[in-house]
Amino acid sequence: MFPNPQLQAGGVDQINSADYANAYYRAIDPTNARASLAQFRAVNGFGSGTGTEFVIIFADTVDLGYGRRITARRNTDGTLAFTAENYLVGGFASYGGGPAQAALNLQAAISQDVRWRVEVNGIEFSPAPGGTVSFPKFYAFNTNTGERMLTGTLDNRGPKSMPGVCISCHGGRGDALTPPDATGLPRFPLVYNSVSQARGDVQAHLQPLPVDLQTYATDGGAYTRASQEANLKTLNEWILCSYPLSAPSSAPEDACRRAASGNEWQGDTAAGLIKAAYGGDGLPNATYVDTYQPADWVSNGQSSLYQLSMATSCRVCHQLRGTGNQSDLDMDTYAKFSGYTDRVYAHVSHRGNMPLAEIIYQAFWTSGAQSASTLMADYLSSQGYATLGAGGSALVPGRPIADPGPDRVVTQGATTLTAAMSLYATSYTWSLISGPAGGATLTGTNSVNPTFTASADGTYVVQLVAASGTEKSPPVNQTIVVQSALSPAPTAIRWPDVKAILQGSTGGCVSCHNPTPASSGKPPIWYTDFDRNGDGAIDQTDDLWFYTEVRGRINFTDYIASPLLRNPSGNHHSGGLRPGFDTSTAPGDPARQSYDLIVNWILNGAPYQ
C-alpha cells in the first residue's frame, strides 16, 4: 500500500489497522454524521433537487475492474460528493476477467443487480468541520447494510484499512498516528504544510477520469459513451476545479480553482492531462482524447517509454504526488523520472510492488517487444541494472533477492546482521570474505540474523546469498567498518542522539523543517520543538510525538529507502546534501557520521529511550 509502512511492535502495520481507520474517521467526521451511506447522501444533498447531480456508468478495465455506477454531485457552494457502486459478477474470484467479464459487470451496474454489488465508496470534497479549505475525504460502505466500514476491498487481495486503500493511488501520505492523547486515543497525523491545517487532510486529490480507456454500453441507450460524453466532461471539469492553481489563468475553467500555496502539490500535472484531453485552455473539445506527453520525454528520445509504460502503468498515481518545493515524485519530466532510477529498479524489478494496482500490474507484465515491462526493463538495463534474463526478456519479480542492508560502522564485539529485507527467499548463506586476518568471526551463517564478532579494527566484507529451493540470488556484499573508538556504540543510540542531528547547528534540518521559513519553503514534517499536541505547553509529550513523526520516516521493510536517510543524503531533497550524510564516503568517515549513526539506530529498532 505504501513503500514506507509504519510497522509497530509485533510487526503490525499501523496504516493497515483498525486504529488507523478509526482515527481517520474521528478526524474527518467527528460527529459520525456520515456513519452510513444514507447519512453520507443526506449530508451531501443527494436527491435534494438543489445543485447539479447526474449518474454515469461504465466498466472500468483500467485499474479497478468493476462495473461502476457513479453518482456525481456539485453543491451550490462548490463542494463535491461522489458515490461509486462497484459491481463484479462472480465476486472477487472473477476480478480482472477481461472484456467478457467487463460486459457482465457493466450490465450489472446498469441494472443495479445487488447480487454483484461488492462495495460502495464515497468521496467528499469539502472543508473540515470549522474549516474553509476543501480536501478529499474517503469512505467505504457495506453494500448490504450501508454501514460505514473500516476497510475497503478494491481487488482480490483482501480488505485493507481506510483510508490507505484509497489514498495510495490518490496521492495521499501515510504518516504515523500520534501516541494516545488525553482521551486515551491516538490522533490522525497532521501534515504541517497543508493549506487546510486539518487532521485527515492526507494531501490526496481527485483522479481525472480517463474517459477513452473505459468500456461503455453499445445498445444506443442512456449509458453509451456518446450519451454520457457531456456528463463525463462535466465530471472532469469538476475534478479540475478541485485542483489548486499554480499561476494566474484567464481560462474560464480555472476560475473555480483556488490559488496554490507554494508548499503544496501544484495541480499542474493532472490539470495538464485534463486540459490536453479536451483541447487545451477553454476545453474546446467535447470529446476526451488522451494525447498528453510532456515535451521533456520527447526531447530525450523517450516517447515510447512514456506512452507505453509510464502513462499506462505509473502516471495515474504519480501525477498526484509532490509539492511546490519538491515535485520530482510526479515524474512528469524525464529528468524527474530518471532521478528515481534506483527506486524504480527496486520497486518494479525486485520488490514487485509497483505498479500497485493488480490489473495494471498484470497488464504491465505482458510480453512483447513494446510491452510496458520490456520497455522499462530495457531502460533500466541501459542504466546498468540487471533486469534482463535469457534472450533479453524482462526478469519478473518473484526470484530470490539478497539484501544484507546498508554498509555500516560498528564497535568491536558482537553485532547482529540481518537478511530480513531479502525478497522471495526461504534460506540464506552468509560468508566473511575479507578483512584483517583473524580479526572477526561470523556465526549462524545459515540464519536470517547471523552474528558478526570483531576483535580488531578494520574494514570487513560479508556476503549474502538468498535462495528459494534450488534457485539462488546473485551474491550481495556488505561492508562493515569496525572502530573501537566509535561513540555512542550502535546499541546505545537513542532518540536524543538522532534529535541532536536533526536540530544541530552543523548539518541540522531545522533551517527548513520548521513553521516559519519563507511561504514556499515549508516541508510536511517539522523538526523544531513546538506544541505538537496543542495543550499550551512544550513538554515531554511533544517530544514523544516528535519521535513518532520521525520514526514514521523509517522504512522498516527497506531500510536504505527510508526518507530519514535518503533525503539528507541529497536524494530529491530541496535542501541538498546535509553535512554528515555523504554516502559517497566509506562507513566511519566523518563526512557520513550522521548517516552512520541513524543507520545503526534503525537497525537497533529505532528506540526512544
Side-chain angles (χ1 to χ4, degrees):
M1 292 172 58
F2 290 93
N4 187 30
Q6 310 297 338
L7 293 185
Q8 308 300 296
V12 174
D13 180 355
Q14 185 191 81
I15 294 174
N16 198 24
S17 69
D19 285 346
Y20 208 79
N22 277 317
Y24 178 66
Y25 286 135
R26 286 196 300 272
I28 65 170
D29 187 28
T31 63
N32 281 324
R34 301 160 183 81
S36 70
L37 177 59
Q39 289 176 298
F40 178 87
R41 290 178 57 84
V43 167
N44 285 288
F46 284 92
S48 65
T50 62
T52 305
E53 187 174 317
F54 54 80
V55 173
I56 59 173
I57 299 177
F58 56 88
D60 182 348
T61 55
V62 180
D63 55 3
L64 293 177
Y66 305 132
R68 306 206 82 190
R69 186 184 188 96
I70 296 177
T71 304
R73 176 171 177 78
R74 187 172 191 262
N75 293 303
T76 55
D77 62 359
T79 59
L80 305 172
F82 310 89
T83 61
E85 301 174 29
N86 301 315
Y87 294 84
L88 187 58
V89 176
F92 284 107
S94 62
Y95 183 77
Q101 181 67 46
L104 294 174
N105 298 340
L106 176 61
Q107 185 54 49
I110 292 173
S111 62
Q112 289 186 284
D113 190 336
V114 296
R115 293 176 300 168
W116 307 122
R117 190 169 62 201
V118 294
E119 191 169 293
V120 181
N121 302 121
I123 301 179
E124 181 181 322
F125 179 75
S126 64
T132 59
V133 177
S134 292
F135 59 92
K137 309 169 187 69
F138 301 88
Y139 297 84
F141 300 103
N142 185 286
T143 187
N144 295 316
T145 67
E147 180 184 5
R148 188 173 70 200
M149 300 190 298
L150 299 180
T151 61
T153 303
L154 294 181
D155 54 23
N156 65 352
R157 299 177 182 177
K160 304 173 185 70
S161 292
M162 295 293 290
V165 65
C166 300
I167 66 174
S168 56
C169 207
H170 277 266
R173 297 174 58 88
D175 295 311
L177 299 177
T178 72
D181 61 15
T183 69
L185 298 172
R187 296 186 202 174
F188 202 76
L190 174 63
V191 182
Y192 293 124
N193 67 339
S194 65
V195 175
S196 71
Q197 285 297 287
R199 295 187 185 274
D201 183 355
V202 295
Q203 299 296 282
H205 312 287
L206 301 181
Q207 283 279 8
L209 180 65
V211 174
D212 52 8
L213 296 180
Q214 315 301 337
T215 299
Y216 304 89
T218 57
D219 59 2
Y223 298 112
T224 64
R225 175 169 176 177
S227 297
Q228 299 186 94
E229 196 75 58
N231 282 343
L232 292 167
K233 181 177 180 180
T234 297
L235 178 61
N236 270 322
E237 288 177 315
W238 290 357
I239 291 168
L240 179 63
C241 281
S242 74
Y243 299 155
L245 185 64
S246 64
S249 170
S250 60
E253 68 275 11
D254 292 331
C256 55
R257 300 168 65 187
R258 65 168 176 81
S261 157
N263 302 300
E264 66 174 326
W265 178 72
Q266 300 294 284
D268 297 330
T269 47
L273 173 63
I274 291 174
K275 289 197 173 199
Y278 288 108
D281 280 348
L283 308 182
N285 298 341
T287 302
Y288 180 106
V289 180
D290 181 8
T291 58
Y292 185 69
Q293 186 172 190
D296 182 61
W297 286 82
V298 177
S299 64
N300 279 281
Q302 298 292 345
S303 293
S304 293
L305 180 63
Y306 180 84
Q307 289 179 311
L308 301 177
S309 191
M310 179 68 188
T312 61
S313 308
C314 314
R315 183 178 69 189
V316 64
C317 294
H318 281 274
Q319 69 181 344
L320 300 181
R321 298 187 177 274
T323 69
N325 303 315
Q326 177 47 267
S327 63
D328 287 7
L329 198 54
D330 66 28
M331 299 186 179
D332 197 45
T333 68
Y334 175 71
K336 293 178 182 179
F337 166 80
S338 60
Y340 276 109
T341 299
D342 61 330
R343 297 313 303 165
V344 172
Y345 175 60
H347 288 293
V348 173
S349 182
H350 275 187
R351 307 190 75 85
N353 59 354
M354 290 189 186
L356 185 63
E358 183 177 1
I359 289 177
I360 295 178
Y361 180 90
Q362 297 297 340
F364 180 86
W365 286 106
T366 57
S367 59
Q370 291 292 296
S371 69
S373 57
T374 300
L375 289 167
M376 188 66 74
D378 287 344
Y379 163 75
L380 291 170
S381 178
S382 73
Q383 303 301 306
Y385 293 93
T387 57
L388 301 176
S393 59
L395 291 173
V396 179
R399 64 198 185 279
I401 301 292
D403 187 348
D407 296 340
R408 57 190 300 200
V409 57
V410 301
T411 56
Q412 291 186 21
T415 298
T416 300
L417 307 183
T418 181
M421 292 181 296
S422 299
L423 303 169
Y424 308 110
T426 56
S427 62
Y428 311 92
T429 302
W430 294 82
S431 55
L432 178 59
I433 63 173
S434 69
T441 61
L442 189 63
T443 57
T445 54
N446 296 121
S447 68
V448 174
N449 298 116
T451 300
F452 171 83
T453 305
S455 57
D457 286 2
T459 299
Y460 300 80
V461 176
V462 298
Q463 187 175 90
L464 172 64
V465 175
S468 177
T470 59
E471 185 178 9
K472 295 183 177 180
S473 72
V476 177
N477 293 343
Q478 180 186 35
T479 297
I480 302 174
V481 174
V482 178
Q483 293 180 348
S484 57
L486 181 66
S487 180
T491 57
I493 300 170
R494 296 294 184 267
W495 164 241
D497 302 303
V498 175
K499 182 179 177 180
I501 291 173
L502 301 178
Q503 296 185 339
S505 58
T506 301
C509 305
V510 293
S511 58
C512 291
H513 287 260
N514 73 81
T516 56
S519 59
S520 61
K522 296 179 182 178
I525 301 293
W526 296 344
Y527 292 158
T528 51
D529 292 319
F530 64 95
D531 183 14
R532 283 177 154 79
N533 67 340
D535 65 355
I538 301 175
D539 53 22
Q540 189 67 28
T541 298
D542 297 300
D543 190 64
L544 181 59
W545 283 35
F546 182 15
Y547 158 76
T548 304
E549 291 170 4
V550 171
R551 194 178 186 276
R553 308 295 286 163
I554 299 170
N555 189 331
F556 284 102
T557 61
D558 189 2
Y559 301 141
I560 203 169
S562 300
L564 188 60
L565 291 171
R566 282 180 62 85
N567 290 0
S569 300
N571 292 277
H572 305 275
H573 190 233
S574 56
L577 175 69
R578 305 302 297 166
F581 286 89
D582 187 356
T583 56
S584 68
T585 61
D589 189 292
R592 60 176 279 167
Q593 62 182 355
S594 296
Y595 183 92
D596 287 336
L597 184 147
I598 294 177
V599 163
N600 281 323
W601 181 60
I602 292 172
L603 289 170
N604 195 33
Y608 180 62
Q609 57 187 13

